[in-house]
Amino acid sequence: MKTEVSKISLSLMFAVSVAALMTGCNRPENAAGTAVASPATPGTQLDDTMITARVKTALMADQDIKGFDIKVETRKGTVLLSGFVDSLSQVDRAMAATRLVEGVQGIENGMTLKGGSATVGTQLDDGIVTTRVKAALLAESTIPSTQIAVATRKGEVQLSGFVDSQVQIDRAIALTKLVEGVQSVTNEMSVKK
């Protein structure tokens, strides 16, 4: 069983690495046509992809963390953990598990505590809101929508990820607020360094 988990983890890391190499080479530019963030080299992107895969594997291995509720993104060794969790102990355990992963240079905590239990209807509504937000971000060419993770809990939308500028953050938040069903927006996005 342990060998199967290792093979799955290795396969996941390889697939994510290939995807990062295939999509990560284009640099977004601002309206003036200049890059707005220092580019990550292909080697750094590969390292970040490997770190992300390792962190996800570490979180999924801990039953108390519920790794599928936590989104993981990495930029130049800094790991951003976001999403909705049940308790502060899950936040602490996720942070501790992430610190132990090889290559992690720093951690940004963007996790939000869930407020009470959600009904099946609320969960379905949240899934619809998440889909609508992702579609709105995808339709906006000035926003790197593939770099923004969207999580919804009881109408509260959390946006996280690394983007190129504060303008992109502001635009993503403004678009999200216009989406039907969004009650509030929490920003956990960071500008790439």
Side-chain angles (χ1 to χ4, degrees):
M1 181 70 163
K2 196 171 196 173
T3 303
E4 278 188 43
V5 172
S6 296
K7 286 180 183 177
I8 291 171
S9 297
L10 187 57
S11 296
L12 174 65
M13 285 189 258
F14 178 76
V16 171
S17 299
V18 170
L21 286 174
M22 291 176 64
T23 61
C25 295
N26 295 331
R27 289 294 309 141
E29 298 175 345
N30 64 15
T34 57
V36 288
S38 63
T41 64
T44 302
Q45 289 175 342
L46 181 59
D47 290 345
D48 287 345
T49 301
M50 296 299 287
I51 291 168
T52 297
R54 288 182 190 136
V55 170
K56 286 181 178 182
T57 300
L59 295 177
M60 287 190 298
D62 188 327
Q63 295 298 322
D64 294 330
I65 295 175
K66 296 184 181 176
F68 288 111
D69 292 341
I70 300 173
K71 300 201 180 301
V72 181
E73 298 158 81
T74 308
R75 171 80 176 159
K76 294 184 179 179
T78 299
V79 176
L80 171 62
L81 300 175
S82 61
F84 294 92
V85 295
D86 294 323
S87 67
L88 286 175
S89 67
Q90 282 184 329
V91 172
D92 293 340
R93 287 182 70 135
M95 298 283 285
T98 301
R99 272 189 210 94
L100 296 176
V101 172
E102 179 184 348
V104 172
Q105 302 297 313
I107 304 171
E108 292 183 20
N109 176 15
M111 294 176 280
T112 302
L113 291 176
K114 294 177 183 176
S117 60
T119 65
V120 173
T122 303
Q123 290 174 345
L124 179 62
D125 291 344
D126 287 343
I128 292 169
V129 169
T130 296
T131 301
R132 287 178 180 159
V133 170
K134 288 180 179 182
L137 296 176
L138 192 59
E140 177 63 46
S141 63
T142 62
I143 298 174
S145 59
T146 59
Q147 298 173 17
I148 300 174
V150 180
T152 307
R153 172 88 175 154
K154 293 184 176 180
E156 177 185 347
V157 176
Q158 183 188 74
L159 303 175
S160 62
F162 294 100
V163 296
D164 298 311
S165 67
Q166 185 63 43
V167 171
Q168 289 177 339
I169 291 174
D170 295 341
R171 183 68 180 139
I173 293 169
L175 279 174
T176 301
K177 287 180 178 179
L178 296 174
V179 172
E180 181 183 349
V182 173
Q183 302 298 316
S184 63
V185 180
T186 302
N187 174 34
E188 296 298 341
M189 295 176 284
S190 298
V191 176
K192 295 176 184 174
K193 297 176 183 169

